[in-house]
Amino acid sequence: LPVVPMFRVTAWGLPYAAWLTGADLIMPDRYLQPEPLAALIEAERAHRTLAAIVAESEDAVIAKTLPDGVITDWNRGAQRIYGYTASEIVGRPISLLLPPERKGEEHELMREVMADRSVPQYETTRVRKDGPVIDVSVTISPIHNADRQIVGASVISRDITERKVRERDLCRSEASLADAQRLAHIGSWSWEPATDITEWSAEMYRIFARDPGQGPAASDAFFGYLHPDDRERIVAGYVQA
């Protein structure tokens, strides 16, 4: 691959596209007409733009070989998420990032990619350089050469640890609330006027001896649970809301 992007040179009074690879100048044996040359220049500009986007992405963008999974490219986002610099990780197997219980996952993913199938976004765990296991969402796609042969895989990862912590905290809070309501025999319900959607806690179903499979009581059915002396006042508040 060229180490210096395409540039234009003038030889024999005609425009050429050229590349530098090491100390060697690579140049076609005939000059380019203006139209093909312009197309090459535009393609090179697009390539540079894409490379800059990948390099600066907050997501980890990693390229690896197949089938051995050796890392060949590593952007700044990958360094931020996993803690390794490119010089530390390029040339090493991507399995280095997998927790012991996830080692078999890599083989399954590679089978999909080698069959020319992308792996849509899924949630899993990975290991940082300094040891912590983090939650990530991962998308994997095959990399093709100009002949449409699969030559590697791209892996895009996003750190979702904070989101997963919030989700787990919410689940614990909801479980604690359900336990407290069950012990105190207190039910709770909510109603969204804009959508007329009602939600009941588990204890509400027990209090009113209603099958949870029926879902929460609709407005009319719920009013039927009210004491006659309170019904008019509650219905008026309901309508006003």
Side-chain angles (χ1 to χ4, degrees):
L1 293 176
V3 297
V4 175
M6 185 196 75
F7 57 93
R8 286 167 288 178
V9 298
T10 301
W12 307 288
L14 297 171
Y16 285 79
W19 293 264
L20 276 176
T21 302
D24 299 322
L25 175 67
I26 299 176
M27 193 169 70
D29 59 0
R30 62 186 180 85
Y31 78 94
L32 294 172
Q33 297 291 342
E35 292 79 6
L37 181 59
L40 273 176
I41 294 170
E42 182 58 33
E44 176 64 19
R45 184 180 295 115
H47 174 75
R48 291 188 189 186
T49 300
L50 179 60
I53 292 171
V54 169
E56 300 300 329
S57 172
E58 288 294 306
D59 293 339
V61 182
I62 306 167
K64 62 181 180 179
T65 60
L66 294 174
D68 47 359
V70 173
I71 295 170
T72 58
D73 287 283
W74 183 267
N75 75 336
R76 292 187 184 92
Q79 178 176 333
R80 181 183 62 82
I81 292 174
Y82 295 113
Y84 294 93
T85 64
S87 61
E88 290 175 319
I89 198 74
V90 169
R92 302 178 72 179
I94 200 168
S95 58
L96 189 68
L97 305 177
L98 275 66
E101 67 274 12
R102 296 281 186 178
K103 294 298 184 183
E105 180 180 295
E106 179 69 5
H107 300 295
E108 297 176 9
L109 297 174
M110 287 306 94
R111 278 200 297 269
E112 287 295 300
V113 176
M114 292 177 70
D116 205 9
R117 292 190 291 265
S118 295
V119 178
Q121 188 177 81
Y122 72 101
E123 296 180 359
T124 184
T125 55
R126 292 293 183 263
V127 180
R128 283 180 48 85
K129 177 185 175 181
D130 52 355
V133 175
I134 60 174
D135 293 289
V136 294
S137 64
V138 178
T139 303
I140 306 177
S141 302
I143 298 174
H144 301 90
N145 62 14
D147 298 321
R148 295 297 300 168
Q149 297 173 321
I150 300 173
V151 294
S154 68
V155 182
I156 300 176
S157 307
R158 176 169 295 180
D159 188 348
I160 58 171
T161 303
E162 290 186 6
R163 193 197 84 198
K164 298 297 286 186
V165 168
R166 289 194 298 270
E167 289 177 356
R168 287 190 284 268
D169 287 345
L170 178 61
C171 286
R172 283 193 291 268
S173 296
E174 291 176 343
S176 296
L177 176 61
D179 287 341
Q181 290 185 342
R182 178 176 54 81
L183 293 172
H185 301 291
I186 298 173
S188 63
W189 65 279
S190 64
W191 170 60
E192 175 55 55
T195 58
D196 198 27
I197 293 177
T198 304
E199 294 184 356
W200 279 22
S201 69
E203 192 62 20
M204 281 286 286
Y205 289 102
R206 283 190 284 270
I207 290 172
F208 291 103
R210 184 177 176 86
D211 181 1
Q214 293 179 282
S219 304
D220 293 342
F222 177 71
F223 296 150
Y225 291 122
L226 301 177
H227 191 280
D229 293 344
D230 297 326
R231 188 173 301 155
E232 183 177 350
R233 176 171 54 85
I234 299 299
V235 170
Y238 182 94
V239 172
Q240 184 179 1

